[in-house]
Amino acid sequence: MPTIAVAGGARKEILELARLSKIEFKDGVKFKVFDVDPNIDHEETWEYIQCESEEDMVHQTVKSVVNKEADILLKGGVQTHVLLKEVLKKEHDLKTQDLLSHVALVNLPALDRQILLTDAGMNIMPTADELEQIINNVIKVGKAIGLEHPKVALISSAENYNPKMPSSVLAKALTERFKDCSEATVYGPLSLDLSLSKTAVEHKKFDGPIRGDADILVVPNIDVGNVLYKSFLLFGEAIMGGTIVGTKVPIVLTSRSDDVESKLYALKFALMQVTDKKTVGGRL
């Protein structure tokens, strides 16, 4: 049974998430909640660990993953940088990649499939070397959730190479680096419409390795990613959930502003990444 370790979990929204998860996954998940505040769960929804301080709370939460007592980290009432600082301590040996990145699972009603979006939430202006690591991270996630040979679109404003456009230059360089990659097709520069719309491909008579059937969108910087992420949510009626990857376990970063459906979707995405080791009630 997968176990979710929650740092600062004594919150109403986390309790609601735990209760809904028990229903969604038919008691196929377990929550371990660490907090300095009193336990608000009176129905044995989770295992509760009282902590002496925030430092102790974050340390115990991360240690539960290190000791293989938990499979997923979930941020509750603690600041993101505080949790990640503990995760990145060398003593824990949790990093699997040099660079951590954010990957979101996107469910858009306009598409007949789910897609991945990276990096819309962590790395601000990645270099070519950093973007290469971001791509490696997301390919690994894609494999973990069942994409046998993902198609990775490197997003720019147009499909034609433009040396005056930084995103175009980056995309061309990364396409060259991944040209011999056997695990995925990595291609760019590519516009959003040609990445996701087969109708646009037909209208523009575009011929390339990705023709409206991208599985993964890679943005050149956080500005593009953030705008795209929020556009999907606000105007595309998308359900989205993200995790930080590049560590031995996925890290779920939820916000109080996220509705419970988004929180549950993010947790489901994290569970998809570990279900090769565990089962989750047959619901994923």
Side-chain angles (χ1 to χ4, degrees), residues 143-154:
K143 294 279 191 178
I145 68 171
L147 297 173
E148 293 184 4
H149 188 92
K151 293 188 174 184
V152 183
L154 308 181

Side-chain angles (χ1 to χ4, degrees), residues 5 7 13 112 145 202 267:
E13 65 270 18
D112 59 357
I145 68 171
E202 292 176 3
L267 180 57

Side-chain angles (χ1 to χ4, degrees), residues 17 105 229 233 238-242 252-255 257-269:
L17 174 64
L105 181 65
Y229 188 101
L233 280 176
I239 302 173
M240 302 174 66
V252 181
L253 304 180
T254 62
S255 167
S257 63
D258 292 339
D259 60 33
V260 69
E261 187 177 27
S262 295
K263 288 184 173 71
L264 187 61
Y265 195 69
L267 180 57
K268 186 179 293 189
F269 178 37

Side-chain angles (χ1 to χ4, degrees), residues 17-36:
L17 174 64
R19 287 171 174 164
L20 288 175
S21 297
K22 294 282 188 178
I23 297 171
E24 176 76 11
F25 306 119
K26 299 180 179 178
D27 289 322
V29 295
K30 177 182 178 181
F31 282 77
K32 291 188 69 167
V33 169
F34 301 80
D35 212 321
V36 296

Side-chain angles (χ1 to χ4, degrees), residues 151-152 175 185-188 190 194 206-214:
K151 293 188 174 184
V152 183
T175 298
T185 297
V186 180
Y187 180 78
L190 198 59
L194 293 179
F206 176 72
D207 185 22
I210 298 177
R211 304 177 73 249
D213 55 355

Side-chain angles (χ1 to χ4, degrees), residues 154-171:
L154 308 181
I155 298 300
S156 186
S157 60
E159 68 278 13
N160 298 317
Y161 171 68
N162 185 342
K164 295 182 179 181
M165 189 177 296
S167 61
S168 185
V169 174
L170 267 177

Side-chain angles (χ1 to χ4, degrees), residues 45-263:
T45 307
W46 56 40
E47 177 186 345
Y48 190 80
I49 297 90
Q50 186 77 48
C51 303
E52 297 180 356
S53 64
E54 183 182 78
E55 182 180 1
D56 177 50
M57 174 186 77
V58 173
H59 179 76
Q60 286 201 57
T61 308
V62 173
K63 201 66 179 176
S64 69
V65 170
V66 174
N67 294 337
K68 301 188 185 304
E69 298 166 359
D71 307 280
I72 292 167
L73 278 176
L74 191 150
K75 183 183 82 73
V78 63
Q79 292 185 329
T80 299
H81 76 272
V82 174
L83 180 60
L84 291 182
K85 181 179 179 181
E86 184 69 32
V87 168
L88 294 176
K89 287 183 178 178
K90 290 185 178 180
E91 65 190 77
H92 297 317
D93 190 31
L94 285 177
K95 286 182 67 176
T96 58
Q97 304 290 340
D98 291 335
L99 187 76
L100 304 190
S101 54
H102 183 271
V103 179
L105 181 65
V106 183
N107 187 342
L108 271 170
L111 295 178
D112 59 357
R113 66 190 187 283
Q114 295 171 321
I115 59 172
L116 298 177
L117 170 65
T118 193
D119 180 339
M122 191 162 186
N123 294 286
I124 297 173
M125 186 70 70
T127 63
D129 289 342
E130 290 170 338
L131 204 57
E132 181 178 357
Q133 294 177 70
I134 289 169
I135 294 168
N136 283 327
N137 284 353
V138 76
I139 289 174
K140 184 176 180 180
V141 172
K143 294 279 191 178
I145 68 171
L147 297 173
E148 293 184 4
H149 188 92
K151 293 188 174 184
V152 183
L154 308 181
I155 298 300
S156 186
S157 60
E159 68 278 13
N160 298 317
Y161 171 68
N162 185 342
K164 295 182 179 181
M165 189 177 296
S167 61
S168 185
V169 174
L170 267 177
K172 182 180 179 181
L174 270 300
T175 298
E176 181 64 21
R177 292 191 189 191
F178 281 90
K179 66 179 181 180
D180 297 322
C181 178
S182 61
E183 294 188 331
T185 297
V186 180
Y187 180 78
L190 198 59
S191 59
L192 181 65
D193 56 343
L194 293 179
S195 299
L196 297 179
S197 170
K198 293 185 177 180
T199 300
V201 168
E202 292 176 3
H203 285 170
K204 293 185 176 181
K205 296 181 170 52
F206 176 72
D207 185 22
I210 298 177
R211 304 177 73 249
D213 55 355
D215 301 298
I216 298 169
L217 305 180
V218 178
V219 296
N221 56 59
I222 201 169
D223 288 330
V224 175
N226 184 271
V227 169
L228 191 55
Y229 188 101
K230 289 178 179 176
S231 296
F232 284 160
L233 280 176
L234 293 173
F235 309 113
E237 299 181 348
I239 302 173
M240 302 174 66
T243 62
I244 299 295
V245 301
T247 57
K248 291 180 180 177
V249 300
I251 304 171
V252 181
L253 304 180
T254 62
S255 167
R256 289 191 180 188
S257 63
D258 292 339
D259 60 33
V260 69
E261 187 177 27
S262 295
K263 288 184 173 71

